[in-house]
Amino acid sequence: MSLYELAPKPPTKLGIYRTLSPTAGVHVSPLALGAMSIGDKWHQYGMGAMDKESSEKMLNAYFDAGGNFIDTANNYQDERSEEIIGEWAEKRGIRDQLVIATKYTFNFKRGSNEAQKVNYTGNNVKSMRLSVEASLKKLRTSYVDILYLHWWDFDTSVEEVMNGLHILVQQGRVLYLGISDTPAWIVSKANQYARDHGKTPFAIYQGMWNILERSFERDIIPMARAEGMALAPWNVLASGKFRTDEEEQNRRETGEKGREMLTGGWERNENEKKVSHALEKVAKEVGASHITAVAIAYLMQKTPYVFPLVGGRKVEQLYGNLEALDISLSPEQIKYLESIIPFDPGFPTSMIGDGSSPTMLLKHTAHFEKVPRVEPIRPSNN
C-alpha cells in the first residue's frame, strides 16, 4: 500500500468534509445533525418521542453515513439529549472522531427539584461554569469541540462573556466558540473585544433561517462574512412545514400530524403552502425526490460556510435531506424561490445596497469593477 494512497470513498457525501470557517480549521460534515429531538422528555410539548433505541438508531445512521458534526444543548430534552449522545459515543468508542457542539444559557435544571434555579441560566460566568461542567459529565468527555452561547440575555457584559469563554479555551475544556440567537451588532462587538484583548473570538453563528423566513440575510450573513464566521441555520425546514399537499393529506388521514411546539399548529398556512409548491416545482426540475432537500440546498448555495442543522425523528428523513448535497440550483431557480414571499432587506440596505455591486451613489460618479465575493461550494461528482 502506498504511503500516499487516497482515502477510501465515503459512504455518502456527508463524509466529504469541509473547513468549518476561515477562523476555525476543524473539518466537519456539510450537514450537522441537530439533536433537539434526541431523547423522550419533550414529547408532551409536541416534539414527538425518541427513546434511547430510536435515538441511537438515528445517531448510528448519521455517523455510518460519514457524518461527524452533532449539535446539542445543555437543556435539550431536559438533559437527555447530551446523556444519550455521551453514552452512545462512549459505547462505540468514537468520541474523538466527532465534532460535538453544545450550548449554555438555558436553565438546564428546569426538570429538577432544586429550589433555586436562577444561576443555572443566563450568560454570566457562574451559569457558564455550571453548565459546562454538567455537559462534560453528560457527554462523557473531557472537552467540547464547540461551545455556543445560546441566546443573549442583555444582563451580562460582552467583557464578562468573552473573558469567561476564553478561560474555558485556555483550560482545554472547549476548543471553539459559537454564538446563537444574538443581534449581529453584539457579535461584532464581542469579536472585536476578543481580538483587541487577546481572547478567543466566536467562529460560528447559529440562528433561524429558511427560504420562508429570511431575516437572517439582513445583518447576520454580512456580519458572518466580515467576521470570518460559519453559519449553522436551524429551522431550515420551517418546523416541518415544507411538505407536499399529498404528504399533508396523508398526515391528516393517519393522524401522524407533525411538530406543534412553537409552530402555531402542525398544518401549513397559505405562505407555507406557496413555498412548498415552489420547492416542489424546483425539485422536479432538478430531479430531486424530496422538496426538503431543495430547501436545504438553497441555504447552502447562498453564501459560503453554511452548515444546516438537520434533525427529524426518522432515519428516512435524514437520508432524504442528504439529497441536498447533490442538488445544484441555478441563479434563476434561486430567484424564483425568493420571489414567492417577497423579502424586504430594510434600511439602509434598501438605499445603499449590500456591497455586492457598486451603489447607485457611486455609479453617478464613475464606472467601477468589484472583486467578486467568495462563492459557496457547489455539488461535485466526488
Side-chain angles (χ1 to χ4, degrees):
M1 179 182 294
S2 168
L3 178 64
Y4 300 106
E5 186 174 341
L6 291 177
K9 186 176 180 179
T12 75
K13 287 189 176 180
L14 268 182
I16 301 178
Y17 306 106
R18 301 181 179 186
T19 304
L20 182 64
S21 77
T23 55
V26 66
H27 294 102
V28 295
S29 296
L31 299 176
L33 181 65
M36 191 166 71
S37 297
I38 298 293
D40 57 3
K41 298 293 186 181
W42 286 0
H43 60 277
Q44 68 268 38
Y45 305 118
M47 286 290 295
M50 289 184 74
D51 58 19
K52 187 175 180 181
E53 182 181 358
S54 58
S55 296
E56 289 189 351
K57 184 178 179 182
M58 175 66 78
L59 291 165
N60 283 327
Y62 177 76
F63 180 78
D64 293 340
N68 74 341
F69 195 5
I70 298 177
D71 181 271
T72 186
N74 63 351
N75 68 308
Y76 285 172
Q77 297 288 337
D78 288 343
E79 305 190 75
R80 262 317 264 158
S81 178
E82 286 185 319
E83 289 173 350
I84 290 174
I85 292 167
E87 293 166 9
W88 166 76
E90 182 179 73
K91 182 166 62 177
R92 290 200 59 170
I94 58 172
R95 166 61 189 101
D96 289 340
Q97 298 176 50
L98 303 172
V99 176
I100 298 178
T102 193
K103 309 175 188 74
Y104 90 100
T105 303
F106 263 103
N107 170 24
F108 66 99
K109 291 295 185 181
R110 187 190 73 91
S112 74
N113 351 333
E114 303 199 26
Q116 295 189 17
K117 299 183 175 69
V118 63
N119 285 315
Y120 291 115
T121 191
N123 300 149
N124 62 80
V125 171
K126 183 175 177 69
S127 166
M128 184 190 301
R129 175 176 176 173
L130 292 172
S131 180
V132 169
E133 288 182 347
S135 289
L136 292 175
K137 290 177 182 177
K138 286 176 285 183
L139 291 167
R140 303 189 180 201
T141 184
S142 61
Y143 69 99
V144 169
D145 295 280
I146 301 170
L147 177 67
Y148 284 98
L149 179 151
H150 208 154
W151 43 268
W152 194 251
D153 69 5
F154 292 99
D155 284 336
T156 313
S157 69
V158 161
E159 293 80 4
E160 180 178 347
V161 167
M162 301 313 288
N163 291 342
L165 289 172
H166 182 65
I167 290 171
L168 292 174
V169 174
Q170 285 183 311
Q171 292 172 338
R173 295 198 285 176
V174 172
L175 304 187
Y176 297 98
L177 301 179
I179 188 165
S180 171
D181 306 339
T182 296
W185 69 268
I186 293 175
V187 181
S188 295
K189 181 178 179 180
N191 272 6
Q192 191 61 52
Y193 172 82
R195 286 190 292 267
D196 289 346
H197 295 85
K199 310 296 181 182
T200 307
F202 294 116
I204 184 169
Y205 182 96
Q206 187 171 132
M208 183 175 68
W209 182 29
N210 59 59
I211 183 62
L212 182 65
E213 174 47 74
R214 296 172 55 203
S215 302
F216 208 71
E217 299 177 27
R218 290 192 181 95
D219 292 315
I220 300 300
I221 289 179
M223 177 272 297
R225 185 183 296 121
E227 294 289 336
M229 296 174 67
L231 296 165
W234 55 267
N235 201 32
V236 299
L237 302 179
S239 299
K241 297 296 184 67
F242 296 154
R243 62 176 82 109
T244 65
D245 293 346
E246 183 182 1
E247 287 177 299
E248 179 125 331
Q249 183 59 30
N250 183 60
R251 291 184 182 213
R252 192 176 291 112
E253 291 173 357
T254 62
E256 180 183 357
K257 299 183 179 180
R259 179 177 294 182
E260 295 181 317
M261 182 180 181
L262 304 176
T263 66
W266 71 272
E267 292 185 281
R268 299 172 300 169
N269 60 34
E270 287 307 308
N271 282 345
E272 290 160 350
K273 289 178 182 178
K274 289 178 183 178
V275 172
S276 293
H277 294 158
L279 291 169
E280 189 172 9
K281 177 179 182 295
V282 173
K284 290 176 181 177
E285 293 173 355
V286 299
S289 54
H290 299 84
I291 68 171
T292 56
V294 176
I296 294 168
Y298 166 78
L299 304 179
M300 300 183 75
Q301 293 171 36
K302 277 288 289 184
T303 190
Y305 302 105
V306 174
F307 299 89
L309 303 182
V310 296
R313 293 181 291 114
K314 299 177 181 178
V315 170
E316 53 266 33
Q317 292 172 329
L318 171 65
Y319 292 149
N321 291 335
L322 297 188
E323 195 177 13
L325 303 179
D326 290 311
I327 295 173
S328 183
L329 298 175
S330 68
E332 293 73 26
Q333 287 168 330
I334 289 176
K335 286 179 182 177
Y336 167 68
L337 290 173
E338 293 180 339
S339 72
I340 306 303
I341 306 296
F343 171 65
D344 179 9
F347 179 85
T349 305
S350 57
M351 185 180 85
I352 62 172
D354 64 0
S356 58
S357 61
T359 71
M360 285 303 298
L361 301 176
L362 281 175
K363 289 179 179 177
H364 285 304
T365 307
H367 293 271
F368 300 88
E369 289 183 330
K370 289 183 71 74
V371 175
R373 287 175 174 164
V374 176
E375 289 290 316
I377 295 172
R378 307 286 292 187
S380 68
N381 294 322
N382 291 345

